[in-house]
Amino acid sequence: MGVRQGLVVDEPLPAFGSGPLLLILAIAPAVFAVGAVLFGQAPTAAGVLIGAALLSPGLALVDAQFISDALEASRPELMVPPSLAAVTPASGAYILLAGHLVTALAGLLAVGRAGADPDSDYFAALDATASATGRRRAVGWALAAGALSVVGLLLPPFRSDNAFIVARDLIASPSLVMYGGLLIALTVLMGGVAAAADPRPPMARGIAIGLFLALAWLVVPQLAAIAAVDWLHFERGAPLLALLPVGLLAVVLFFSGSDTAEQKEITLDASPLHVVTGVLGVLTGAATLFGAFGALLVVNTGGDQPESYANRQLLPAGILIILLGAGLFTRWAGAVRPAFVIALGAVAVVGLASLDAAFTGTAANSLSLGMPVAVTDYRVGAAAWFVVAALVLAGAAAVVAVVAGGAERDDVDLSRRVFHTRYAVPAGGAVLFAIGAFASPMIKAPGFTAPGIFTEFRLTSWGLLIGLVVVVAAAVIAALARPARAAALLLGAAIVAGVHLLEFPMTSDRAADAQPGTGTWLSLACLVALLVASVAAATDPSRHEEAE
């Protein structure tokens, strides 16, 4: 109603015919809730209204930008200003805010049971004294999904060729949009965790669906605009990264159990240390992703932003760490933990290379003393500090995981250690390949000298050394480990080698006429050997003896 009424006086046309889409998105939570009631799922309907209500304050702040200064809104699905002439808010903007207020009120009524009969199933489903059986696996996936969605919300939603629709990241947006977006990001993360932890499956499903439908009001029109308008371009996949994890969480919760004894199947007695490690792991992955999408260097004078290459590999590293961290909330936490600890080496390999690029770019050699001095043209960007945070969190996660592993080994008979030729042989080959993979240059180009372990030793070299030690240690320990544990160790080492292998395809643009170096081919060989060894360990017939 508010959009149709007009958000500003003499409102400019939108970039495309968005009216039907916006109408569908606006009524989707209410329609879904009514449908759930008609199918006898009133608790799920209440959850949908609650989930949508959680995002209402943030969405209201974002949409309030049309009252503050519509020219700064950058919402092509609503209007595209033809000039910088001032515009006056119309009644539609206030109606739009009223709609968010009504959504919040509906959620509050749903939480308060909305006058339901105390003897009804709906009233019982919302009883706060219901069983609070733990749902740690779902919470882990909620943390992972929320972290990915937050990254998507922080990034620019698109790239624009129109001077009147400015593509900004969240931090650079106008105050109302920035604070509203941050509130949305926080609500998506906390709301997803709250839904996953709810011991009442119908409510959990409904809240997750409500979060997804409410977030779609902001994100789906961005995707539609990119698809329909030739001067808008897909940039880093931010809208998909923001929306899809929340949708996947809703799907996971929808099929995660029922009110019956099936609910016990998702009840997990994960070690508290595994839970702490999982939280640290998800935070590590999130910080790594922030470092991947941010700027390592910022121009002080406001000129063109230099291209960041060194932090591009943080993207696959962050995603894998988040997934492994989420796995620590499941019943398979003990099997996932070795892979997680070893995979943290990938954060060190790429993170230290990113910091090397950032700090080298802000310093130069003094002609008189040969000492580094600050360069006034550049300063370290926010991405570098996220990388520092990721390295600190990774170290903390590794320590807690090792403590958790030590507690498990107290119950294991270590005297039965044997040398497993089945997977020790390919693991030994991986060790030989790893030495060359991390010591040899990944990129060859005229005039380009890559940092290494034995030559041009720099901060990046410490990351390479850590990666080499981690892979070699994993392979050696795996040769004497039980098959399941060995498979996890070797898989973690394969993640480190695989992320290292991506240096050429993801960063070769930094050097003209670049070609794969010896390290690239040896990294590929190392990765293949580690995967072969991991599969050999996972399929070892003796793995069944571990349970005895």
Side-chain angles (χ1 to χ4, degrees):
M1 174 69 77
V3 174
R4 185 177 180 85
Q5 189 73 18
L7 302 178
V8 299
V9 177
D10 297 327
E11 183 176 75
L13 293 175
F16 65 103
S18 58
L21 174 63
L22 294 174
L23 176 61
I24 292 172
L25 294 173
I27 65 175
V31 170
F32 202 101
V34 171
V37 171
L38 293 177
F39 281 95
Q41 296 294 324
T44 299
V48 172
L49 296 178
I50 293 170
L54 289 174
L55 288 187
S56 292
L59 291 173
L61 284 176
V62 171
D63 289 342
Q65 183 62 40
F66 286 95
I67 297 176
S68 174
D69 185 357
L71 296 178
E72 295 286 334
S74 291
R75 300 282 292 276
E77 76 277 13
L78 297 175
M79 56 173 281
V80 179
S83 71
L84 294 178
V87 293
T88 303
S91 59
Y94 298 97
I95 295 175
L96 181 59
L97 295 186
H100 292 306
L101 177 61
V102 170
T103 301
L105 180 60
L108 288 174
L109 290 174
V111 171
R113 302 182 179 86
D117 189 322
D119 296 327
S120 67
D121 293 337
Y122 173 66
F123 191 96
L126 298 184
D127 188 353
T129 62
S131 172
T133 306
R135 296 177 52 138
R136 290 180 181 135
R137 176 172 60 183
V139 171
W141 288 115
L143 280 170
L148 290 173
S149 183
V150 168
V151 173
L153 290 168
L154 289 174
L155 296 174
F158 43 69
R159 180 165 51 85
S160 173
D161 297 333
N162 189 318
F164 300 109
I165 296 292
V166 181
R168 303 184 182 93
D169 60 51
L170 186 60
I171 303 303
S173 298
S175 296
L176 285 173
V177 176
M178 179 183 69
Y179 291 124
L182 290 174
L183 183 57
I184 291 171
L186 179 63
T187 305
V188 166
L189 181 59
M190 301 306 295
V193 172
D198 196 307
R200 301 154 296 189
M203 286 291 296
R205 299 168 190 150
I207 293 174
I209 293 170
L211 287 171
F212 175 79
L213 295 176
L215 187 60
W217 164 260
L218 181 67
V219 176
V220 170
Q222 295 171 350
L223 291 169
I226 293 170
V229 182
D230 57 5
W231 45 264
L232 290 175
H233 310 284
F234 202 59
E235 182 76 3
R236 300 180 180 177
L240 291 177
L241 193 60
L243 189 62
L244 286 183
V246 181
L248 291 175
L249 176 63
V251 172
V252 168
L253 294 181
F254 193 84
F255 293 103
S256 65
S258 66
D259 294 318
T260 64
E262 294 178 3
Q263 184 178 343
K264 296 180 180 179
E265 297 179 3
I266 61 171
T267 300
L268 304 171
D269 295 323
S271 163
L273 288 176
H274 284 148
V275 174
V276 173
T277 306
V279 171
L280 290 173
V282 171
L283 293 176
T284 299
T288 303
L289 289 178
F290 291 153
F293 289 114
L296 291 173
L297 292 174
V298 177
V299 182
N300 288 326
T301 57
D304 292 337
Q305 186 68 31
E307 189 71 28
S308 293
Y309 294 102
N311 61 336
R312 292 181 176 180
Q313 289 165 268
L314 290 170
L315 175 59
I319 292 174
L320 291 169
I321 293 299
I322 285 178
L323 293 177
L324 289 173
L328 292 169
F329 293 89
T330 72
R331 63 168 60 93
W332 303 285
V336 171
R337 190 196 64 254
F340 171 77
V341 174
I342 299 301
L344 289 173
V347 178
V349 172
V350 187
L352 290 173
S354 301
L355 293 180
D356 191 0
F359 295 139
T360 301
T362 57
N365 288 329
S366 167
L367 295 177
S368 59
L369 301 177
M371 299 294 289
V373 296
V375 173
T376 58
D377 290 344
Y378 299 100
R379 71 176 187 275
V380 174
W385 305 117
F386 279 117
V387 172
V388 171
L391 292 172
V392 173
L393 289 167
V399 170
V400 177
V402 169
V403 173
E408 278 190 4
R409 284 189 292 273
D410 289 340
D411 300 325
V412 177
D413 183 7
L414 299 179
S415 64
R416 299 178 60 186
R417 297 286 191 188
V418 296
F419 186 81
H420 298 270
T421 306
R422 177 185 176 93
Y423 46 86
V425 172
V431 168
L432 297 178
F433 290 133
I435 295 173
F438 288 93
S440 303
M442 302 291 287
I443 297 174
K444 295 190 303 182
F448 177 77
T449 303
I453 295 178
F454 302 112
T455 58
E456 192 67 21
F457 197 92
R458 296 176 1 204
L459 186 58
T460 299
S461 306
W462 285 107
L464 295 172
L465 188 58
I466 291 173
L468 174 60
V469 170
V470 165
V471 171
V472 171
V476 172
I477 295 172
L480 299 172
R482 295 167 290 155
R485 195 59 48 85
L489 288 167
L490 293 166
L491 180 61
I495 289 175
V496 177
V499 171
H500 183 53
L501 173 63
L502 293 174
E503 180 175 348
F504 176 78
M506 298 190 76
T507 72
S508 59
D509 290 346
R510 59 182 167 170
D513 301 323
Q515 295 180 345
T518 305
T520 297
W521 302 117
L522 290 175
S523 294
L524 178 60
C526 179
L527 174 61
V528 172
L530 288 168
L531 290 176
V532 169
S534 181
V535 171
T539 57
D540 192 324
S542 65
R543 68 189 186 278
H544 300 294
E545 298 176 3
E546 297 181 14
E548 298 178 358

